[in-house]
Amino acid sequence: MSRPDGKDNPDLQLHAAQLLREPIGTTRQDAFATRRLVLEPGHVVTDVHGDARFMRTNRGILANVTAGMKETLSCARCLVDVPVEVVCRFEEEFLPVIDVTTGSPVSFEDEPEAFRIDEHHVLDFAEALRQYALMVEPMAPLCRESCAGLCPRCGRNRNEQSCDCEQPTDPRWAALTALSEGTTKEVS
Ligand SMILES: [Zn+2]
Ligand SMILES: [Zn+2]
C-alpha cells in the first residue's frame, strides 16, 4: 500500500497469514506506536500510539483501531503554535488479495475502494489511519478559550500586548471614565 511519504511503516502493519488461517471470529489485539505519520505533504503527526483489534471475518479481517497522536497547529485567532492531541477511532474490513490457503487471487471487483491485505498477507492500516486522522482534525484550534487574538488594525498579539486601536472613541466613554475616577478619588 502506498503512502504519501512512500515508506512502509512496519509499526502499522499486521502480518496476517496466521490470523487468516484461524476460524471466523478469532481475534488478535496489538498495541502499536510509531514516531511519526505523514497525513498529507507537509502535515505530520507525531507520537502515534494506540490499540488495534483484529478479527477474522468470512471475507478478510476487521480492524478496529484507536489511535492517539500529537501535532502542532496554529491558533485560529492569534496564530501561535498550539500543541494538540487528537484521538481517532475506526473500523474497517481489509480484504485479501490472495487466498492464504490456496494462493490463488481473490477478487472483490464490486469493492474497488476496500482496503486490502497484500500478496504477502500484510495488513497495513497506515493509509486507513491517515484518512481517519484527517477527519478528526480540529477545525479552529485555540491556544486558550479566552484568546484575545490579533488586533485587526495593527496586527499585535493582544494576549501579549495591548494596543490603542481598540480604545473606545465615543466621547461619552471618556466622560464616564472621568466620573468614575473622580468618585474613586473622593472615596479614598
Ligand atoms: Zn490564540
Ligand atoms: Zn491594534
Side-chain angles (χ1 to χ4, degrees), residues 125-155:
F125 59 92
E127 175 57 21
L129 180 57
R130 189 187 73 76
Q131 291 179 16
Y132 280 92
L134 279 172
M135 282 189 237
V136 295
E137 280 284 290
M139 295 303 287
L142 295 177
C143 61
R144 57 187 132 147
E145 280 304 317
S146 61
C147 173
L150 300 178
C151 171
R153 293 201 199 153
C154 72

Side-chain angles (χ1 to χ4, degrees), residues 62-134:
L62 186 67
N64 188 306
V65 174
T66 302
M69 58 202 78
K70 291 178 182 168
E71 65 184 310
T72 302
L73 299 173
S74 293
C75 172
R77 289 184 199 155
C78 73
L79 307 180
V80 300
D81 284 351
V82 187
V84 177
E85 289 219 41
V86 176
V87 174
C88 91
R89 292 185 181 84
F90 66 89
E91 192 171 75
E92 283 286 344
E93 191 176 27
F94 288 70
L95 305 175
V97 168
I98 61 168
D99 187 299
V100 71
T101 42
T102 65
S104 51
V106 188
S107 86
F108 294 94
E109 279 167 3
D110 51 331
E111 291 169 81
E113 300 295 311
F115 292 105
R116 305 304 292 265
I117 301 164
D118 74 11
E119 63 277 19
H120 306 293
H121 313 300
V122 173
L123 185 162
D124 186 329
F125 59 92
E127 175 57 21
L129 180 57
R130 189 187 73 76
Q131 291 179 16
Y132 280 92
L134 279 172

Side-chain angles (χ1 to χ4, degrees), residues 170-186:
D170 190 320
R172 283 170 296 183
W173 281 111
L176 266 174
T177 308
L179 251 178
S180 71
E181 276 171 1
T183 312
T184 312
K185 273 171 201 158
E186 272 171 33

Side-chain angles (χ1 to χ4, degrees), residues 2-30:
S2 65
R3 304 197 305 137
D5 58 352
K7 278 181 235 149
D8 277 339
N9 189 336
D11 299 318
L12 303 176
Q13 293 174 346
L14 170 76
H15 289 269
Q18 199 185 330
L19 184 56
L20 285 168
R21 290 190 179 94
E22 304 275 359
I24 292 167
T26 305
T27 59
R28 185 142 306 158
Q29 194 148 3
D30 272 326

